[in-house]
Amino acid sequence: MNSSDTIAKWRSRFIPDHVVGEILTKEWIDTAIPVVMFIASIIAFSLLLPHFLSLGGIVELLRQMGELTFVTMGMAIVIMAGGIDLSVGSVFALANFLTLACVNYLAWPPYLALPIVIAICGLCGLVNGVLVGYLRLRAFLTTLATLIIVRALVDYLLFHYGSKVVESSPDSEFWDFLSFGTVFGFPFNYLAAIVAAVVLHVFLTRMRLGWHIRAVGGSRRSAHNAGINVRRTVCLSYIVSALLTGIAGVLYAARLNNAGTEAGVGLEVVALTAAVLGGNSLGGGRGSIPKAALGAFIVALFTNSLLRFTLPSGANPLAIGLILLLAVATDVRWLKNRHKLLSRVYVSPAYFEPPPLLSTAPDSGTPYAVNNKLQDAEPIGLDQVDGAEDIAFDADDNLYTGSRHGDILRFEAPDYASVEVFAHIGGQPLGLHFDGDGSLFACVSGMGLYKITRDREIIRLSDETNRTLLSIVDDSRMRFADDMDFAPDGRVFFSEATIRYDIFDWATDSLEARGNGRIICWDPRTNASRTVLPKRMFPNGICMIGDNESLLFAETWAARINRYWFDGPHKGKVECVIPDMPGYPDNIRRSSDGNFWVAMLGMRTPALDLAMKMPGFRRRMAQRVAFEEWIYPNINTGGVVKFDANGNVLESLWDASGDKYPMITSMREHKGYLYLAGVYNNRIGRYRIPGADPSFNDRHLYWDKRK
Amino acid sequence: MTVDSLIQMLQVTKEYRGVPVLKRVDFTLMKGEVHALLGENGAGKSTLTKIMAGVTERTSGKMLMGGREVSFSSPAAALANGVAMVFQETSLVPSMSVAQNLYLGDEKLFNRLRGLYIAAQQFLQSLNFNVDPWATVSSLGAAKRQMVEIARAVRHEAKVIIFDEPTASLTPEEKHHFFGLIQRLKRRNVSIIFISHALEEALAVADRITILRDGELVATDRTSKFNRESIIQAMVGRQLSGELYSRKERKIRKAGAKILSVQNLSMGAMVRNNSFSVYRGQITGVFGLIGSGRTETAKIIAGIYKRNYFYGGEVWFEGSPVRYRVPRLAVRDGIVYVTEDRKVEGFFETQTIAENIFMGVLGANIDKSVIVGVSQMKALADQWIRGLSIRATDGNARVIELSGGNQQKVVIASSLVQRPRLIIFDEPTRGVDVGAIAEIHQVINELADDGLAVMVISSYLPEILNLSDRILVSRLGRIVEEFSPKQATEAKIMYAAVH
Amino acid sequence: MGPRTGSTQVTQEQIVLALSVLLFVAFSVTLKGFFAPGNLLALVQNVSILGILGLGMAIAIIGRGIDLAIVTTMTMMTAWVLSLAGHGTPPLTAAAAGFCLSAVIGIVLGVLIAYVEIPAIFATLAMASVIYGFSRMVLVGEDLVYVPPSASWTRVAGNAVTLGVPNNVVFFLSFAALVAAFFRFTKPGRFLLSMGDNPFRARIVGIPVRPMIVLQYVASSLTGFAAGLIMAMLIGSMNTRQVNSTMVYDVILVVVLGGVGLSGGRGGVRNVLVGTLLIGILLNGMTIMDVPYILQNLIKGLILLVAIIVDSFVNPRDEQTSQQGDI
């Protein structure tokens, strides 16, 4: 191995390129720029400002942030519903005045006054909501009008009662708690904002009304057509916004006890700034509560921190304006180019050193030497099968196979001439096995593990496994269940070939040469599934070895067959049985003489083997060349190999011409014949095995022993 | 009334601001039947079904469901009564995920996300629709959106499902799955209304066929009573298919000088290593399914999209390499693109015909003066209204008020005034009434006869076969095959476009 | 908006016009001194600044944007010009400098919106902050800047009367005529209208969309600057605290009230004039009635609300036809 190989090897081992592609597919990456802003600003201010990170400073800062966070969240909800609420500043001022009036002037107890004040604010929201939602007025203008009207009202009230409402202040612990209280040293009002943020986030992402709000913002007409009451939803969004603004106004009143006319002036602009800065798009469709809270934090941090520098007048607005422009500009560019980035990096090849390539030449003397024995296999279901990946036989010798259209087909014994659709599952059924009760178990790509009873009832056994800790993409779903076998106690071990691609892109997975697949165990006692062996290279065929504690599985792209102990003293151990197959192994099945058959779906080629050691080359290929012209595994020639449990290859069967059985994905020995399936072949083959046990049925190995 | 009729429409009329679009139509849908609804654009098919689905309300007439008179005020109400509709114009929320869209409208009060996504995946896969439920709808192509729409309607377990052009953007493979689904639905005794342009599909799938023309019922009967010719005759009202897409012997134009050469053009996932050439004095037809990269390629040539900055390939126009940042530069060089999406990028809807056509002149910067001549604008408009026989009172009519065909002619006119040397027509007759199709084809033919380089992109095979002097087939972002019209057949082209 | 803008429909412009006429008649009958030539001139004079700002805003809105920085530009640039002149720069040179800087502001705005693709509402909001901050820090020292003695002739010019019409009204009307001609008879004007109507089509048809957006904001900034100069000529000073007032909302009110669509492409100078007229009549009438300033705002808000509610009944929107993102 030369040095560039070593570098490539270590690079692909320690730099997880594929993670970049996965992160970019996540929705939360949308918030990347605000988060970076957030961290950068905290670092910058803590370096520039002495005592910035001191406890008192932070508490005071957070106290002020609480109110803005409430208002911004309200604004964000309206924006998410496709509107805009300019009236928040005035409603905030109204809440401030009313709180002071109720608590100070009328001397109502705060716990009574506050709900009333917030409810009155909600009423303002209702007015907006009725006008914009039900009467279908334009949000910008309508809320502009309510902004002016409510502001005029507040000014009027302040003009007449302004001095009276601040004359006294109540003697109430609750009131003091609102204004100066801390919970574990955390200012109460920011804590309240955080709690509200969590609740609202759950509400928007998981609750019915939250969905409706986001749907209406995303597309009004679609929401209407989906049966959502658009008008009510829009109306409610304004009410929520006004309620949140009301809470903010109450907190402001409690904190400052100030009946000045400046309360809430320009707040709509600040809240809008915060919401947009956090990444909520005006016009709806894109947004979230965390974004709003983040935006509010950044804006409040800047406005407050800049005040603490001794700057010439005008420097503050200048700095804020410039920073906001910079942040939004970055955000806009990031959003625009994220997808371009994604399309470049999702396919992420790794370094893989293939085993030595054994010759298959007819005169090579290896057990893999090509012959033409499969030419004689007689066809079953010629041009009737489409996507037969595996075959299984029931007790009456009827033949079952899957199809590309999600059906399980049944060919009637003994001549297999007539065919019917046994059941429709969906996806693409791959590995098939009968259990002792005559139910058919099927690995269905795209869906998971299914069982079809004798009465053709379809039962879903597994569609979800445990999520890997720290995985970026939720890997709990089943994307590509491939083959399975039963453990003696009824557990089912099945392989999922890759978690990064669908079955349509299965060949693309070969380019990555990374352990993207896994083996999962479904336990009938708990009816739950758990990943037992992650990170294998396209684990494909699975076959119990017969010792009740280990199984064989094929790693297709690594061209090897492994043995895995799921029970017993060696539990968890994996050992390579055949390290160097000349082709890509697929399903493994038992043979009548106590050995194993393995199908080869295609042959390795020197070019692809070389490319496996050159991840950079494959990445460039994936980026620059149309995908039909990539180097793929050769899947035009396949064969069947017999081997024993120690990995000794005993014989091989080929269709050298490649015109009948070019690709072999599975085979099953049944009553003296070897049946051959290939997912792209147009027939199932039936090959008489010379000297084989004519009563052999591999189901007996599993089920009849126990009876 | 027959026992097993599910929906009956009696003398239903619908008017939009006094203009009737549906005139006293009777329609009956039986239980468990597949009923094809056929007609030209504007015949009232969509309106009729939208009334059934509660999207619009009828002006007069009755709608009976199970013998009881009903009236749906919203799609939600229709759904509650078991009528679901798959809309032609997609009605998904683009900013939400596939799974959320699937469950939108009857989601639970609280939704556990992972369970939801996995259930969505199981459901989509059970229909053999290969759509990732995690994906955001805006990132999906037309075909996948269509599949999500279909899946959503099926999920509601409605008694009646209305499909409005469901197969328009599906590949043959996906169509196969779709028709399998229809058969399974039928077995479950679901009634299906199926609006389609593809008559062969209707004949193959439907039990009964109803044909509308100009808002009136023309024929309704069992499918076995119809054939392709009789359907077209009923749709158009006269024997027209012979004139329009006849395969009569026609002269094939010889290629002139090479005007455009594209090499290894690439743009993201949509266009990959695309190479081809276009010649003067002939029509180069490009056939491809939606999503095959043909529109994107055309838009890159016209400067509307930008190819990849690195390894994006080359475009040579009139012997020199070009890379347009904006369409303006392409227009000045004489490359004009006539859009497939008239409503979005075809015209200015607040402006008149004259203003729209004249904007082409202004955009091409033919007249360098800053001052706009209003009289010159009028004269130009009159000239083109006559030249393309645009049916409007005068140039002061708003484009938005015209029919599809006349709108398309205005779009073509505003492109032709830009003095193009290469003109690219993208789906020139989509949403155009049959009468206007022939006229637009004639215009295109005359342009080629005059020596212009013409490119016609279409996913309608007869149009490609009828117009082209060379046929290119696009698939997966590149031109994969070239045919001469003499050797080309529908089957050959389709095979190249799919495999 | 689609087919509803057809000729048989009553437009918002007509509603507002009708409302203005109604108010005008009502005030003429009920209010003493309303229907007097002097008062009517005062009426127009009071809203002429607002009207000019409205024209600038209309240019931005019609081109599918918005200029929330227009009041800040007006105030700060004018204050700078006055302050320059106060420190001995010849008034005309100072004005030229202000003109140039306003144009630069417009270019920066345009570049941010057209090339960086920041949403207009946000770019102009942030730029307003930048302009104010920069001016206060570098250009203008004090809150209130007076017209210096060296330029006292401008005060005369600003308050003079030409042919019986106050000069600032003349400015307003001629400016309106200029903008109207710009939209109707010049290429850039047509381009702006078209871009506002359909930016996708505008790009394809060959309109230089990005340079035109820059032009659009240069025009709106310069209009703001001109309004500021006229204002200074009229009242003799410029208060930089005006930046924090709600004046920009009044400007939007005037523009949108008359029927300029916020989604671009719809409306023109006539709509701005109608909107200005209504606000002028209203303010004037209320001043005569001696309505307190606070209540004036209330009434203004209610009138705006009534106008848009009436419009919503005349031109109903429904789920099938409404435009996405149309706020």
Side-chain angles (χ1 to χ4, degrees):
Chain A
M1 182 189 287
N2 60 33
S3 62
S4 68
D5 261 14
T6 318
I7 293 169
K9 183 177 175 180
W10 287 88
R11 183 187 178 280
S12 73
R13 182 175 299 173
F14 290 107
I15 301 179
D17 295 313
H18 61 294
V19 172
V20 179
E22 287 174 4
I23 288 177
L24 284 170
T25 62
K26 299 298 282 189
E27 211 175 304
W28 45 254
I29 197 64
D30 223 39
T31 322
I33 296 299
V35 169
V36 170
M37 275 276 297
F38 168 76
I39 294 168
S41 55
I42 288 186
I43 293 174
F45 282 121
S46 54
L47 291 177
L48 291 170
L49 278 176
H51 314 303
F52 176 78
L53 287 177
S54 73
L55 199 63
I58 290 180
V59 167
E60 199 40 50
L61 188 66
L62 292 180
R63 215 181 274 288
Q64 294 168 29
M65 270 176 201
E67 291 141 25
L68 181 62
T69 308
F70 271 109
V71 178
T72 307
M73 289 191 298
M75 180 70 88
I77 288 175
V78 174
I79 289 178
M80 266 183 257
I84 192 168
D85 188 357
L86 295 179
S87 69
V88 288
S90 303
V91 173
F92 181 83
L94 182 69
N96 176 40
F97 174 82
L98 289 177
T99 311
L100 294 176
C102 290
V103 175
N104 294 349
Y105 184 60
L106 300 172
W108 290 356
Y111 54 82
L112 178 71
L114 302 191
I116 293 177
V117 171
I118 294 171
I120 293 175
C121 292
L123 223 56
C124 295
L126 180 67
V127 172
N128 277 333
V130 168
L131 292 175
V132 179
Y134 285 97
L135 293 181
R136 306 279 292 107
L137 306 186
R138 288 165 177 279
F140 190 93
L141 278 178
T142 312
T143 55
L144 180 58
T146 45
L147 158 83
I148 297 171
I149 293 169
V150 175
R151 172 61 66 182
L153 264 178
V154 174
D155 284 347
Y156 180 80
L157 291 169
L158 281 173
F159 185 73
H160 289 282
Y161 306 103
S163 54
K164 290 180 191 160
V165 298
V166 287
E167 273 166 3
S168 64
S169 110
D171 185 22
S172 150
E173 272 184 36
F174 178 65
W175 188 246
D176 290 342
F177 182 69
L178 277 190
S179 34
F180 309 112
T182 54
V183 178
F184 303 118
F186 216 68
F188 167 75
N189 68 9
Y190 196 66
L191 199 68
I194 294 294
V195 171
V198 172
V199 171
L200 285 171
H201 180 64
V202 171
F203 164 76
L204 278 170
T205 52
R206 285 158 175 83
M207 301 282 283
R208 180 184 294 155
L209 181 61
W211 277 34
H212 286 187
I213 285 177
R214 299 200 308 156
V216 168
S219 167
R220 273 191 96 100
R221 188 172 64 190
S222 302
H224 176 73
N225 287 347
I228 292 172
N229 188 335
V230 172
R231 298 178 175 209
R232 191 182 64 203
T233 308
V234 170
C235 178
L236 284 172
S237 75
Y238 285 91
I239 295 177
V240 172
S241 162
L243 289 176
L244 289 170
T245 310
I247 295 174
V250 167
L251 292 173
Y252 178 82
R255 184 164 63 88
L256 293 181
N257 197 28
N258 172 12
T261 51
E262 76 281 2
V265 171
L267 184 64
E268 62 279 351
V269 173
V270 179
L272 195 62
T273 306
V276 174
L277 189 66
N280 298 290
S281 321
L282 284 178
R286 168 178 172 251
S288 73
I289 288 293
K291 284 178 184 164
L294 208 57
F297 192 97
I298 296 171
V299 168
L301 188 70
F302 273 107
T303 43
N304 285 307
S305 305
L306 284 173
L307 281 179
R308 292 164 63 184
F309 292 103
T310 40
L311 294 175
S313 72
N316 283 348
L318 175 64
I320 290 171
L322 285 177
I323 288 162
L324 296 188
L325 277 181
L326 186 72
V328 178
T330 327
D331 198 34
V332 166
R333 302 317 297 184
W334 163 246
L335 261 189
K336 197 173 171 184
N337 292 308
R338 183 165 72 109
H339 294 289
K340 274 189 206 163
L341 212 59
L342 175 64
S343 67
R344 293 184 73 82
V345 299
Y346 191 80
V347 176
S348 147
Y351 178 89
F352 175 69
E353 191 175 6
L357 184 55
L358 300 175
S359 171
T360 57
D363 53 359
S364 62
T366 63
Y368 298 115
V370 167
N371 52 49
N372 216 2
K373 290 180 179 170
L374 297 185
Q375 267 291 322
D376 306 333
E378 48 187 302
I380 295 172
L382 187 61
D383 291 327
Q384 285 173 318
V385 296
D386 187 3
E389 206 262 359
D390 195 11
I391 31 194
F393 294 91
D394 66 10
D396 305 323
D397 297 334
N398 298 317
L399 185 154
Y400 295 77
T401 187
S403 89
R404 213 154 47 86
H405 311 294
D407 300 324
I408 304 261
L409 302 178
R410 175 160 97 165
F411 289 87
E412 295 290 337
D415 55 356
Y416 304 117
S418 77
V419 62
E420 64 162 342
V421 175
F422 177 63
H424 175 84
I425 303 177
Q428 180 167 359
L430 301 176
L432 302 171
H433 276 282
F434 274 97
D435 75 355
D437 308 326
S439 298
L440 182 64
F441 280 58
C443 281
V444 185
S445 92
M447 298 182 83
L449 184 65
Y450 274 72
K451 175 166 113 173
I452 303 112
T453 65
R454 283 163 178 273
D455 313 327
R456 305 192 178 190
E457 186 195 353
I458 297 169
I459 301 166
R460 181 188 310 160
L461 300 180
S462 172
D463 59 7
E464 177 178 349
T465 175
N466 58 310
R467 178 173 179 168
T468 313
L469 210 65
L470 299 180
S471 66
I472 307 272
V473 172
D474 186 349
D475 60 357
S476 60
R477 65 165 158 168
M478 309 261 164
R479 209 164 181 177
F480 200 156
D482 197 329
D483 191 24
M484 56 159 281
D485 205 352
F486 300 100
D489 56 359
R491 276 181 297 169
V492 174
F493 286 88
F494 61 102
S495 58
E496 189 179 12
T498 168
I499 56 172
R500 276 172 65 80
Y501 295 94
D502 290 322
I503 189 168
F504 307 91
D505 299 322
W506 67 281
T508 310
D509 190 72
S510 71
L511 289 181
E512 296 212 344
R514 181 185 289 109
N516 290 332
R518 56 190 174 180
I519 291 176
I520 301 169
C521 170
W522 171 76
D523 194 328
R525 286 160 296 196
T526 56
N527 195 25
S529 306
R530 214 168 45 79
T531 305
V532 292
L533 201 57
K535 297 198 167 138
R536 312 307 298 190
M537 283 173 71
F538 213 82
N540 204 328
I542 296 228
C543 187
M544 288 295 152
I545 214 159
D547 61 357
N548 292 349
E549 58 184 32
S550 63
L551 55 79
L552 292 167
F553 71 94
E555 276 187 278
T556 298
W557 302 140
R560 65 184 168 217
I561 292 172
N562 298 315
R563 179 171 179 180
Y564 165 66
W565 280 264
F566 54 88
D567 261 341
H570 301 294
K571 186 174 177 178
K573 186 176 146 190
V574 178
E575 189 183 86
C576 190
V577 176
I578 305 179
D580 53 352
M581 298 197 66
Y584 299 107
D586 201 320
N587 286 357
I588 308 173
R589 297 286 179 260
R590 313 289 291 266
S591 74
S592 54
D593 53 8
N595 295 314
F596 300 91
W597 297 106
V598 61
M600 280 196 286
L601 60 86
M603 300 309 290
R604 284 163 56 192
T605 53
L608 186 60
D609 277 3
L610 185 63
M612 283 296 143
K613 297 211 281 187
M614 302 160 73
F617 161 74
R618 277 176 288 144
R619 181 178 298 112
R620 287 194 297 279
M621 174 176 80
Q623 285 171 358
R624 291 183 209 161
V625 182
F627 66 84
E628 307 143 68
E629 304 197 347
W630 293 350
I631 299 184
Y632 282 120
N634 159 25
I635 53 172
N636 295 323
T637 319
V640 176
V641 171
K642 189 196 263 184
F643 66 101
D644 67 15
N646 298 320
N648 301 312
V649 177
L650 306 172
E651 72 166 303
S652 54
L653 310 170
W654 301 91
D655 173 11
S657 67
D659 58 350
K660 286 180 179 162
Y661 307 101
M663 175 192 201
I664 297 179
T665 53
S666 186
M667 72 269 109
R668 196 183 288 268
E669 185 176 341
H670 189 74
K671 300 197 170 164
Y673 288 91
L674 189 67
Y675 293 83
L676 308 157
V679 75
Y680 293 149
N681 293 353
N682 65 348
R683 69 190 84 188
I684 290 169
R686 180 169 133 119
Y687 169 75
R688 172 178 285 283
I689 310 168
D693 173 5
S695 66
F696 177 80
N697 179 346
D698 68 352
R699 285 175 63 245
H700 298 159
L701 295 173
Y702 304 107
W703 305 109
D704 291 0
K705 267 190 291 189
R706 274 189 288 157
K707 282 182 183 164
Chain B
M1 194 185 90
T2 42
V3 191
D4 48 358
S5 82
L6 191 58
I7 290 184
Q8 274 195 305
M9 310 284 281
L10 298 172
Q11 299 288 304
V12 170
T13 297
K14 171 74 185 175
E15 297 181 352
Y16 283 113
R17 273 192 270 120
V19 183
V21 290
L22 216 53
K23 300 168 200 158
R24 308 170 73 76
V25 170
D26 291 320
F27 178 83
T28 308
L29 182 68
M30 307 287 190
K31 269 192 194 122
E33 74 166 349
V34 179
H35 197 139
L37 199 53
L38 306 175
E40 281 195 76
N41 290 302
K45 302 167 298 192
S46 291
T47 311
L48 181 65
T49 49
K50 278 182 177 173
I51 291 171
M52 289 186 231
V55 179
T56 49
E57 287 180 57
R58 58 187 182 272
T59 314
S60 68
K62 277 188 187 173
M63 175 173 169
L64 303 180
M65 201 168 168
R68 201 164 42 86
E69 182 165 0
V70 288
S71 190
F72 303 135
S73 57
S74 71
L79 209 52
N81 281 282
V83 181
M85 177 156 182
V86 178
F87 294 91
Q88 182 183 7
E89 69 275 22
T90 162
S91 72
L92 303 171
V93 180
S95 56
M96 295 173 89
S97 67
V98 168
Q100 285 178 319
N101 269 288
L102 214 48
Y103 290 92
L104 198 65
D106 66 344
E107 63 285 293
K108 295 198 263 319
L109 189 62
F110 183 87
N111 304 282
R112 178 179 165 261
L113 291 185
R114 184 193 290 171
L116 186 90
Y117 282 118
I118 287 178
Q121 166 148 8
Q122 296 291 322
F123 180 69
L124 285 166
Q125 288 288 337
S126 75
L127 305 176
N128 282 88
F129 288 166
N130 177 40
V131 187
D132 182 0
W134 271 260
T136 311
V137 167
S138 59
S139 69
L140 301 180
K144 297 208 167 181
R145 288 185 193 207
Q146 190 66 257
M147 288 190 252
V148 178
E149 295 250 11
I150 294 169
R152 186 162 77 176
V154 173
R155 212 189 64 77
H156 286 299
E157 308 238 312
K159 284 182 278 183
V160 179
I161 303 180
I162 302 163
F163 293 105
D164 193 352
E165 298 276 357
T167 55
S169 51
L170 301 185
T171 64
E173 166 86 8
E174 290 156 351
K175 277 183 198 165
H176 179 96
H177 289 312
F178 173 70
F179 290 129
L181 171 66
I182 288 208
Q183 292 311 323
R184 287 200 299 278
L185 288 172
K186 204 172 131 182
R187 255 177 265 140
R188 269 175 23 200
N189 221 14
V190 175
S191 307
I192 289 157
I193 299 175
F194 179 77
I195 301 178
S196 181
H197 263 110
L199 307 182
E200 292 77 9
E201 284 177 8
L203 285 165
V205 176
D207 300 317
R208 290 203 304 150
I209 291 178
T210 292
I211 298 168
L212 296 179
R213 182 173 72 232
D214 298 331
E216 288 179 83
L217 183 82
V218 186
T220 176
D221 212 331
R222 304 203 62 78
T223 304
S224 52
K225 303 277 173 58
F226 290 99
N227 60 28
R228 195 187 148 84
E229 282 64 41
S230 66
I231 292 177
I232 291 179
Q233 193 174 352
M235 277 168 59
V236 186
R238 57 199 152 102
Q239 199 77 39
L240 192 110
S241 63
E243 307 165 20
L244 186 54
Y245 292 122
S246 66
R247 298 296 313 277
K248 62 175 182 257
E249 278 304 306
R250 64 186 177 87
K251 207 177 112 253
I252 290 167
R253 299 178 194 86
K254 286 257 176 349
K258 187 194 276 188
I259 188 164
L260 176 84
S261 150
V262 171
Q263 283 152 24
N264 259 327
L265 195 70
S266 294
M267 184 188 76
M270 291 308 295
V271 180
R272 308 211 63 166
N273 305 61
N274 201 355
S275 304
F276 63 95
S277 300
V278 177
Y279 302 88
R280 279 213 188 85
Q282 64 167 195
I283 299 173
T284 305
V286 179
F287 177 81
L289 299 170
I290 292 167
S292 63
R294 57 210 176 116
T295 296
E296 287 77 7
T297 303
K299 285 190 167 180
I300 294 170
I301 294 167
I304 299 164
Y305 290 163
K306 277 183 246 176
R307 60 187 192 252
N308 288 352
Y309 192 79
F310 297 106
Y311 312 106
E314 287 171 357
V315 178
W316 292 69
F317 184 67
E318 301 220 308
S320 53
V322 291
R323 181 193 282 268
Y324 300 114
R325 279 177 297 110
V326 287
R328 177 174 182 77
L329 303 173
V331 168
R332 285 187 176 181
D333 278 2
I335 303 179
V336 172
Y337 169 78
V338 182
T339 177
E340 60 169 344
D341 197 342
R342 201 159 53 230
K343 278 186 187 134
V344 173
E345 47 189 30
F347 53 83
F348 302 106
E349 63 177 45
T350 61
Q351 299 186 2
T352 62
I353 297 176
E355 285 170 325
N356 264 292
I357 295 177
F358 197 61
M359 202 49 75
V361 180
L362 295 184
N365 210 22
I366 291 165
D367 183 359
K368 304 279 187 226
S369 134
V370 177
I371 305 300
V372 173
V374 175
S375 56
Q376 182 197 350
M377 177 169 90
K378 293 232 161 69
L380 191 75
D382 289 341
Q383 177 196 337
W384 282 98
I385 287 174
R386 262 182 283 111
L388 295 183
S389 50
I390 297 170
R391 273 171 276 287
T393 44
D394 62 359
N396 291 325
R398 281 172 197 272
V399 181
I400 191 87
E401 291 159 2
L402 303 179
S403 72
N406 286 313
Q407 282 181 352
Q408 184 70 6
K409 287 183 196 163
V410 173
V411 179
I412 292 173
S414 72
S415 304
L416 291 182
V417 294
Q418 303 193 310
R419 299 183 191 161
R421 287 188 280 178
L422 165 66
I423 184 161
I424 306 170
F425 291 96
D426 197 353
E427 299 280 3
T429 56
R430 175 183 289 176
V432 167
D433 23 303
V434 175
I437 289 179
E439 291 172 358
I440 289 172
H441 283 177
Q442 198 193 335
V443 171
I444 294 174
N445 275 319
E446 281 167 7
L447 289 173
D449 290 339
D450 292 347
L452 213 65
V454 182
M455 241 174 109
V456 175
I457 298 171
S458 178
S459 49
Y460 191 49
L461 271 171
E463 177 165 270
I464 285 288
L465 285 167
N466 206 27
L467 277 179
S468 317
D469 301 310
R470 265 172 86 215
I471 298 171
L472 305 178
V473 182
S474 171
R475 183 174 78 93
L476 293 171
R478 54 214 298 253
I479 300 296
V480 290
E481 200 86 57
E482 173 169 351
F483 295 100
S484 97
K486 281 190 180 131
Q487 47 174 235
T489 62
E490 297 205 1
K492 273 189 195 168
I493 296 179
M494 200 43 145
Y495 186 86
V498 173
H499 291 285
Chain C
M1 304 289 286
R4 272 170 298 104
T5 45
S7 51
T8 54
Q9 296 284 299
V10 183
T11 61
Q12 188 178 335
E13 181 194 342
Q14 286 156 336
I15 295 168
V16 172
L17 191 62
L19 207 62
S20 312
V21 172
L22 215 70
L23 272 177
F24 188 83
V25 172
F27 284 158
S28 307
V29 174
T30 55
L31 291 181
K32 204 179 272 180
F34 180 81
F35 194 72
N39 182 53
L40 293 183
L41 281 180
L43 186 158
V44 184
Q45 188 165 359
N46 286 336
V47 289
S48 57
I49 304 288
L50 200 58
I52 295 175
L53 285 174
L55 290 170
M57 184 67 91
I59 293 174
I61 290 181
I62 287 171
R64 207 170 257 237
I66 195 164
D67 187 357
L68 299 179
I70 195 168
V71 171
T72 314
T73 309
M74 163 183 99
T75 310
M76 298 322 291
M77 290 304 103
T78 312
W80 182 47
V81 170
L82 296 185
S83 142
L84 274 184
H87 288 89
T89 315
L92 285 180
T93 316
F99 183 90
C100 292
L101 195 55
S102 304
V104 169
I105 289 173
I107 290 172
V108 172
L109 271 177
V111 168
L112 287 175
I113 294 164
Y115 292 90
V116 190
E117 297 174 19
I118 300 178
I121 195 168
F122 199 77
T124 54
L125 209 59
M127 267 305 280
S129 184
V130 171
I131 297 164
Y132 174 71
F134 179 76
S135 310
R136 278 314 305 270
M137 203 165 102
V138 182
L139 305 178
V140 186
E142 49 284 313
D143 277 351
L144 190 61
V145 195
Y146 290 96
V147 173
S150 65
S152 54
W153 57 270
T154 59
R155 297 271 295 124
V156 180
N159 289 293
V161 171
T162 312
L163 300 174
V165 183
N167 265 358
N168 59 342
V169 177
V170 174
F171 286 141
F172 172 40
L173 293 179
S174 42
F175 207 83
L178 203 68
V179 176
F182 169 73
F183 276 125
R184 186 158 172 75
F185 295 114
T186 72
K187 224 185 216 183
R190 293 257 169 199
F191 283 169
L192 272 188
L193 270 171
S194 303
M195 281 157 47
D197 181 312
N198 186 341
F200 305 107
R201 175 62 185 161
R203 189 160 177 264
I204 289 179
V205 90
I207 293 174
V209 174
R210 287 175 159 176
M212 280 298 131
I213 292 178
V214 175
L215 178 81
Q216 167 188 350
Y217 287 96
V218 169
S220 73
S221 293
L222 289 180
T223 312
F225 176 64
L229 285 187
I230 295 170
M231 189 172 183
M233 283 158 73
L234 192 65
I235 58 178
S237 66
M238 182 54 76
N239 186 348
T240 57
R241 290 193 179 264
Q242 183 172 265
V243 167
N244 298 321
S245 73
T246 56
M247 189 168 183
V248 70
Y249 294 144
D250 288 348
V251 178
I252 297 175
L253 182 68
V254 158
V255 175
V256 182
L257 198 57
V260 175
L262 268 179
S263 51
R266 295 175 182 84
V269 170
R270 221 172 48 199
N271 306 67
V272 180
L273 292 182
V274 170
T276 314
L277 187 67
L278 177 65
I279 294 296
I281 293 171
L282 208 64
L283 290 180
N284 187 273
M286 288 193 293
T287 312
I288 294 176
M289 287 189 283
D290 205 16
V291 178
Y293 176 70
I294 292 170
L295 281 187
Q296 286 197 11
N297 268 339
L298 192 69
I299 292 167
K300 210 161 64 183
L302 287 173
I303 291 283
L304 172 60
L305 213 50
V306 169
I308 43 188
I309 290 175
V310 171
D311 179 50
S312 82
F313 280 107
V314 177
N315 298 316
R317 319 196 298 162
D318 71 62
E319 313 306 347
Q320 296 300 320
T321 55
S322 65
Q323 282 178 319
Q324 193 57 35
D326 180 13
I327 50 175

